Amino acid sequence: MPFTNPIPVRLKEARKKAKLSQKSLGESIGMDESSASPRMNQYEKGKHTPDVQTLKAIADKLGVPLNYFFCEDDSSAELACLIAQLTESERKKLIAALSRE
Amino acid sequence: MPFTNPIPVRLKEARKKAKLSQKSLGESIGMDESSASPRMNQYEKGKHTPDVQTLKAIADKLGVPLNYFFCEDDSSAELACLIAQLTESERKKLIAALSRE
C-alpha cells in the first residue's frame, strides 16, 4: 500500500475542531502575519512538511499530542488524544490490560 | 518545559529491541552500505531528523507504528505499539471505554 503522509489530514482535522483559521493558528505559534496563512495552507496540502519543533508548537496550541499528527488511521488518532488525557497510573493500567489480551 | 525531539530515543529503543545494528537497519531500508551506519547514527544522536517517508520505512522494518517515534513519554509509546496490534473493532471498543471515563 502506498504511504500517505498523515500530517495534512490530521492537521486540518485538529485545526477545524479547535475552530481556528490557518492564519490565526500560524500567527499564534509565531509566524509572520503575511506568511502564516500560506505556510499553514502548504502544510495542510502536503506541499511542505513542518519540522518537529513547529509541529510541537501546533500540537500544544491545538491541544493534541505530537504523535497525533503521525497516526495513520482515525481510530489510532482518536486513541492518541484520549491517552494524552490519562494520568501515568491510568496508562500503566491500560498497558497491563492490553498486554494480557 | 523545553521540548525534546522524541525521535532519537524512540529510534534507538526500537532498533535495540529488534536486535539490529544501525548499519543493517539502514541498509534494509535502502541506504548505501557506506552511508547506512553514519546516517542512522545521526538520526539517533538527533543531529539530523529523518523525513516522514524514511521514518515510515524504519517503522515498518522495526514493527512499530509511525506515530511511535513521536510519543513524548514511555507509557504513550508503549500504548502506541499495543494499539497498533488491535483490530479496528477492538479500537472502537477502547475509544468508547476511554470516552466514558
Side-chain angles (χ1 to χ4, degrees):
Chain A
M1 214 167 69
F3 170 63
T4 305
N5 183 340
I7 297 173
V9 164
R10 298 283 161 241
L11 183 53
K12 185 169 185 177
E13 183 179 69
R15 179 180 62 74
K16 293 268 179 190
K17 208 170 166 186
K19 297 189 189 340
L20 288 173
S21 66
Q22 292 178 334
K23 185 175 165 64
S24 61
L25 176 56
E27 285 181 16
S28 76
I29 60 157
M31 290 177 187
D32 280 350
E33 200 186 323
S34 59
S35 63
S37 176
R39 276 184 69 185
M40 291 305 305
N41 193 52
Q42 285 167 339
Y43 294 158
E44 289 188 9
K45 297 288 183 202
K47 283 187 193 165
H48 292 292
T49 298
D51 62 34
V52 183
Q53 281 73 13
T54 303
L55 271 175
K56 171 64 177 171
I58 295 173
D60 286 351
K61 181 69 191 175
L62 296 179
V64 296
L66 175 64
N67 65 322
Y68 163 86
F69 293 117
F70 298 89
C71 290
E72 293 185 75
D73 52 81
D74 293 344
S75 57
S76 62
E78 201 171 340
L79 283 166
C81 292
L82 287 165
I83 285 163
Q85 309 296 325
L86 298 180
T87 63
E88 186 61 21
S89 119
E90 288 169 331
R91 287 184 201 172
K92 295 279 185 210
K93 276 185 207 163
L94 188 53
I95 289 170
L98 291 176
S99 303
R100 268 198 304 274
E101 279 174 11
Chain B
M1 214 167 67
F3 170 64
T4 305
N5 183 339
I7 296 174
V9 164
R10 298 282 162 242
L11 183 53
K12 186 169 185 176
E13 183 178 69
R15 179 181 61 76
K16 293 266 180 193
K17 208 170 166 185
K19 299 189 190 338
L20 288 172
S21 66
Q22 293 178 334
K23 184 173 166 67
S24 61
L25 176 56
E27 284 181 16
S28 76
I29 61 158
M31 290 176 186
D32 281 348
E33 201 187 323
S34 60
S35 64
S37 176
R39 277 184 68 186
M40 291 306 305
N41 193 51
Q42 285 167 339
Y43 295 156
E44 289 187 10
K45 296 288 183 201
K47 283 189 191 161
H48 291 292
T49 299
D51 62 33
V52 183
Q53 281 73 14
T54 302
L55 272 174
K56 171 65 178 171
I58 294 173
D60 286 350
K61 181 68 191 175
L62 297 179
V64 296
L66 175 64
N67 64 321
Y68 163 86
F69 293 118
F70 298 89
C71 289
E72 293 185 77
D73 51 81
D74 293 344
S75 57
S76 63
E78 201 170 341
L79 283 167
C81 293
L82 288 165
I83 285 165
Q85 309 295 327
L86 299 180
T87 63
E88 185 62 22
S89 119
E90 288 169 331
R91 287 185 200 171
K92 295 280 183 208
K93 275 185 209 163
L94 187 53
I95 289 170
L98 292 176
S99 304
R100 268 198 306 273
E101 278 174 11

